[in-house]
C-alpha cells in the first residue's frame, strides 16, 4: 500500500507573501488536495535576524484570504531547536560532523568548495564554532516529477557543509529535512530555486536512513525583464481585495486551464474547480519563463 499523501508549505517569515510565493503555495496545496492528502504549514523562522516582525501574521492572513487552509497545528522551527541540537550532537559524537572555526574571509578565498581545513583538527566544542557535516565522493541524483534529474557530487561541488552556523543558527538544510521526516512529509512541492539544495537534503536522508520524499520543483515566476520575483525585489504585496483576480492569474501562471468565466469567482469557487482539475504535468520546465500571468 502506498503511504497517504502529506504535503506542506514552509515559508520563511522574512517578508510578505508575494505573487511568486503564492504560486508555489498554491501548487503545493493543489497537489496535496488533488491527492486527497494533508497540507501542513510550517514557519521557517530559524534565523531571527531575517525574520520580520509581523511577517508571520501577514503570511497567515494572505493564506486565509486565498482560501488555502492548512491541516493541523502550525509548526514553528524556532520552537524545535532541541530536535536540531540533538541530531547535530549525535553526528558530532559519531564523527560524521565536526567543529569548524574557519573565518569568513578564508572561506571566501577558497571559493565554493570547502577544502576540509577543520575536518582533521578535532576542535573542541565551542558555541561560536560552526558544525560541518561530512560528505562523500558519490554522485547524488535528484529525481523530480517535472525537472530533469539533477546530479551533484557534494565532495567535488561543495565540500563538507554547515549544519550549524558560527552564530549558533541551525542551517535550513538540516531543519527542513528533520522536520519533513518528523512530520511524515511524502511530497515536497516548492519553488525551483531550491532544486540545488535538494542533493544536500538527500544526503541527510541517506545518513538518517530514511527514504526521500517525492519532489516537484515548480518553475519560478519571473518578471518581464527576466528577474526572479523575489521578496527582496519588494514585489507588490498581495491585496486581499484583489484575491479572486490574483487567484485566477496564479492558476494561469501554473498553466492550469482555468475557465475565463471563473475570473471573477470567489477564491473558494476557483479552488473547487482547480483541485480536481490539477495537472502538474502542464507546468513548463524551469527554463521557460512565465510572463503572461503576472499581476498588473
Ligand atoms: N523556507 C523556504 C523558503 O521560504 C522553503 C523551504 C522548503 O520548501 O523546503 O524559501
Amino acid at each position: 500500500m502506498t503511504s497517504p499523501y502529506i504535503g506542506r508549505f514552509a515559508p520563511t517569515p522574512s517578508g510578505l507573501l508575494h505573487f511568486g510565493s503564492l504560486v508555489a503555495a498554491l501548487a503545493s496545496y493543489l497537489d496535496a488536495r488533488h491527492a486527497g492528502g494533508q497540507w501542513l504549514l510550517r514557519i521557517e523562522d530559524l534565523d531571527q535576524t531575517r525574520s520580520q516582525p509581523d511577517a508571520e501574521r501577514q503570511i497567515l492572513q494572505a493564506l486565509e484570504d486565498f482560501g488555502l487552509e492548512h491541516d493541523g497545528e502550525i509548526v514553528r522551527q524556532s520552537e524545535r531547536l532541541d530536535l536540531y541540537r540533538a541530531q547535530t550532537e549525535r553526528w558530532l559524537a559519531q564523527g560524521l560532523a565536526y567543529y569548524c572555526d574557519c573565518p569568513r574571509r578564508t572561506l571566501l578565498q577558497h571559493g565554493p568548495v570547502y577544502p576540509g581545513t577543520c575536518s582533521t583538527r578535532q576542535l573542541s566544542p565551542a558555541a561560536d564554532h560552526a558544525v560541518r557535516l561530512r560528505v562523500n565522493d558519490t554522485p547524488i541524483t535528484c529525481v523530480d516529477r517535472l525537472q530533469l534529474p539533477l546530479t551533484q557530487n557534494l565532495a567535488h561541488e561543495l565540500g563538507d557543509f554547515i549544519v550549524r552556523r558560527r552564530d549558533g543558527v541551525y542551517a535550513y538544510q538540516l531543519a527542513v529535512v528533520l522536520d519533513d521526516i518528523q512530520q511524515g512529509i511524502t511530497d515536497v512541492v516548492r519553488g525551483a530555486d531550491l532544486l540545488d539544495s535538494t542533493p544536500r537534503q538527500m544526503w541527510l536522508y541517506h545518513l538518517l536512513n530514511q527514504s526521500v520524499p517525492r519532489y516537484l520543483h515548480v518553475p519560478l515566476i519571473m518578471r518581464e525583464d527576466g528577474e526572479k520575483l523575489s521578496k527582496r525585489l519588494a514585489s507588490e504585496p498581495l491585496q486581499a481585495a484583489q484575491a479572486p483576480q490574483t487567484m485566477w492569474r496564479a492558476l494561469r501562471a501554473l498553466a492550469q486551464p482555468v475557465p475565463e468565466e471563473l475570473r471573477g469567482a470567489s477564491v473558494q469557487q476557483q479552488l473547487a474547480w482547480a483541485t480536481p482539475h490539477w495537472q502538474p504535468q502542464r507546468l513548463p520546465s524551469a527554463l521557460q519563463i512565465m510572463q503572461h500571468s503576472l499581476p498588473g
Side-chain angles (χ1 to χ4, degrees):
M1 206 185 93
T2 50
S3 53
Y5 186 117
I6 307 179
R8 72 347 180 241
F9 179 52
T12 303
S14 57
L16 306 183
L17 216 59
H18 55 81
F19 186 69
S21 37
L22 172 73
V23 166
L26 181 59
S28 126
Y29 173 92
L30 289 173
D31 205 57
R33 296 301 187 218
H34 180 82
Q38 292 184 59
W39 191 63
L40 310 184
L41 179 60
R42 182 170 72 233
I43 304 293
E44 302 213 318
D45 56 353
L46 275 180
D47 187 348
Q48 299 287 334
T49 58
R50 282 184 62 215
S51 294
Q52 293 209 1
D54 219 32
E56 176 185 321
R57 192 191 58 74
Q58 298 192 38
I59 289 172
L60 299 182
Q61 183 62 52
L63 292 175
E64 195 181 316
D65 295 340
F66 284 87
L68 303 179
E69 280 179 33
H70 63 90
D71 295 302
E73 295 285 313
I74 299 174
V75 163
R76 287 182 189 80
Q77 290 189 327
S78 58
E79 294 166 6
R80 297 159 69 79
L81 302 183
D82 287 348
L83 177 71
Y84 316 137
R85 185 176 304 117
Q87 187 55 56
T88 305
E89 297 294 333
R90 252 190 307 272
W91 281 330
L92 283 164
Q94 293 165 348
L96 292 172
Y98 58 87
Y99 289 103
C100 166
D101 67 355
C102 290
R104 204 180 156 72
R105 79 190 119 74
T106 329
L107 295 173
L108 289 174
Q109 282 159 10
H110 285 307
V113 184
Y114 180 66
T117 320
C118 293
S119 67
T120 52
R121 288 178 63 206
Q122 305 197 314
L123 288 174
S124 330
D128 65 347
H129 289 166
V131 177
R132 287 184 183 269
L133 189 64
R134 296 183 196 277
V135 297
N136 76 3
D137 183 0
T138 341
I140 297 180
T141 299
C142 166
V143 176
D144 189 273
R145 287 163 57 196
L146 181 69
Q147 311 293 339
L148 291 173
L150 170 74
T151 300
Q152 274 180 10
N153 179 315
L154 295 178
H156 293 178
E157 294 174 45
L158 207 74
D160 300 340
F161 62 90
I162 287 183
V163 288
R164 194 192 77 194
R165 300 190 328 213
R166 292 192 71 177
D167 61 4
V169 175
Y170 289 96
Y172 155 68
Q173 311 292 355
L174 172 77
V176 76
V177 169
L178 294 182
D179 287 339
D180 281 344
I181 291 171
Q182 218 242 339
Q183 295 186 278
I185 301 300
T186 60
D187 287 78
V188 169
V189 179
R190 60 185 176 191
D193 52 333
L194 291 165
L195 188 60
D196 76 344
S197 287
T198 309
R200 263 169 287 174
Q201 295 173 15
M202 291 174 70
W203 176 240
L204 299 192
Y205 281 95
H206 168 73
L207 293 180
L208 295 163
N209 215 0
Q210 298 282 331
S211 46
V212 295
R214 275 181 297 261
Y215 290 107
L216 172 60
H217 285 90
V218 178
L220 300 179
I221 306 294
M222 306 292 218
R223 297 195 320 185
E224 290 294 336
D225 55 11
E227 253 187 291
K228 184 194 153 198
L229 199 75
S230 75
K231 292 173 202 175
R232 251 163 285 150
L233 277 170
S235 338
E236 298 282 296
L238 298 168
Q239 304 288 345
Q242 298 289 317
Q245 293 78 0
T246 308
M247 174 64 89
W248 194 87
R249 291 195 193 102
L251 288 168
R252 283 291 170 114
L254 288 168
Q256 303 303 298
V258 51
E260 192 67 43
E261 311 82 89
L262 283 180
R263 204 172 189 140
S266 70
V267 293
Q268 286 77 13
Q269 284 169 310
Q270 296 188 56
L271 289 173
W273 178 88
T275 301
H277 290 96
W278 171 238
Q279 293 178 72
Q281 61 279 12
R282 293 182 62 99
L283 283 164
S285 78
L287 295 176
Q288 287 173 282
I289 295 174
M290 297 188 291
Q291 297 176 338
H292 54 284
S293 311
L294 295 180

